[in-house]
């Protein structure tokens, strides 16, 4: 599974399917997901949550549960946490204010991007904060001890 930041969206290339994460919606192989509900396309199971300006996506691909938070939020409600459940990879824009969200969700890996992405990496204790153009995920990157962090940039 490969993550690339491109034109205000994050692209996940996964087993012959393309998942595009943007602030407005998610697309799985051309299927536009912009309303709450359950979706399936190309073997990818997607759940979309939208309540009181809190929009979240949770999907399974290549055996991993990935959560996507498209905008900066300072907290996540208990209802949203129940929706997300267990998360292997959390994808979200970065800012120091998002630290509490990461702690509540407890992902094994954080993939972050944006002008202030280094802030969240520093708050998680990550020493190397050089943005990557592309990131290819490996099983070894998913730690059960401490949340890993990858910063994407262009």
């Amino acid at each position: 599974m490969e993550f690339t930041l491109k034109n205000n969206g994050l692209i996940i290339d996964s087993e012959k399917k393309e998942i595009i994460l943007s602030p407005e919606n998610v697309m799985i192989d051309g299927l536009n997901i912009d309303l709450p509900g359950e979706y399936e396309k190309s073997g990818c199971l997607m759940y979309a949550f939208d309540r009181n300006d809190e929009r979240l996506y949770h999907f399974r691909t290549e055996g991993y549960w990935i959560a996507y938070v498209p905008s900066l939020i300072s907290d996540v409600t208990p209802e949203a946490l129940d929706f997300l459940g267990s998360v292997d990879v959390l994808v979200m824009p970065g800012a120091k204010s998002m630290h509490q969200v990461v702690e509540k969700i407890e992902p094994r890996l954080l993939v972050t991007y944006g002008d202030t992405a280094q802030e969240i990496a520093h708050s998680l204790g990550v020493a190397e904060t050089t943005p990557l153009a592309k990131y290819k995920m490996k099983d070894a990157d998913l730690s059960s001890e401490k949340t890993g962090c990858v910063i994407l940039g262009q």
Side-chain angles (χ1 to χ4, degrees):
M1 182 171 359
E2 187 172 87
F3 298 81
T4 308
L5 190 63
K6 195 176 202 178
N7 301 334
N8 198 32
L10 194 137
I11 299 170
I12 301 173
D13 285 314
S14 169
E15 293 181 347
K16 301 179 185 173
K17 64 182 149 280
E18 183 178 74
I19 303 165
I20 301 172
L21 310 176
S22 75
E24 298 80 34
N25 63 355
V26 170
M27 291 189 76
I28 302 172
D29 280 346
L31 174 65
N32 185 32
I33 300 169
D34 58 358
L35 296 172
E38 181 178 325
Y39 304 84
E40 186 172 0
K41 173 81 182 220
S42 302
C44 181
L45 183 59
M46 167 75 68
Y47 301 96
F49 174 92
D50 192 357
R51 292 211 178 81
N52 302 328
D53 297 328
E54 189 175 39
R55 178 174 282 187
L56 307 169
Y57 299 90
H58 195 210
F59 57 99
R60 187 164 180 85
T61 187
E62 289 188 32
Y64 299 106
W65 280 105
I66 300 174
Y68 173 51
V69 178
S71 60
L72 295 175
I73 56 175
S74 59
D75 200 6
V76 62
T77 63
E79 185 180 27
L81 284 174
D82 286 343
F83 164 78
L84 291 174
S86 178
V87 173
D88 294 310
V89 180
L90 173 61
V91 179
M92 66 177 205
K96 190 174 183 176
S97 63
M98 296 287 279
H99 185 88
Q100 184 176 3
V101 173
V102 175
E103 284 185 341
K104 283 186 175 182
I105 295 174
E106 297 180 333
R108 296 169 61 198
L109 176 67
L110 171 65
V111 176
T112 188
Y113 56 92
D115 295 337
T116 56
Q118 281 92 350
E119 292 178 6
I120 189 72
H122 286 300
S123 72
L124 292 171
V126 175
E128 179 56 46
T129 59
T130 304
L132 304 173
K134 284 186 177 187
Y135 167 68
K136 186 166 178 77
M137 191 178 89
K138 302 172 284 306
D139 284 339
D141 297 339
L142 300 175
S143 171
S144 58
E145 303 288 319
K146 181 181 174 187
T147 298
C149 182
V150 173
I151 301 169
L152 292 177
Q154 294 182 4

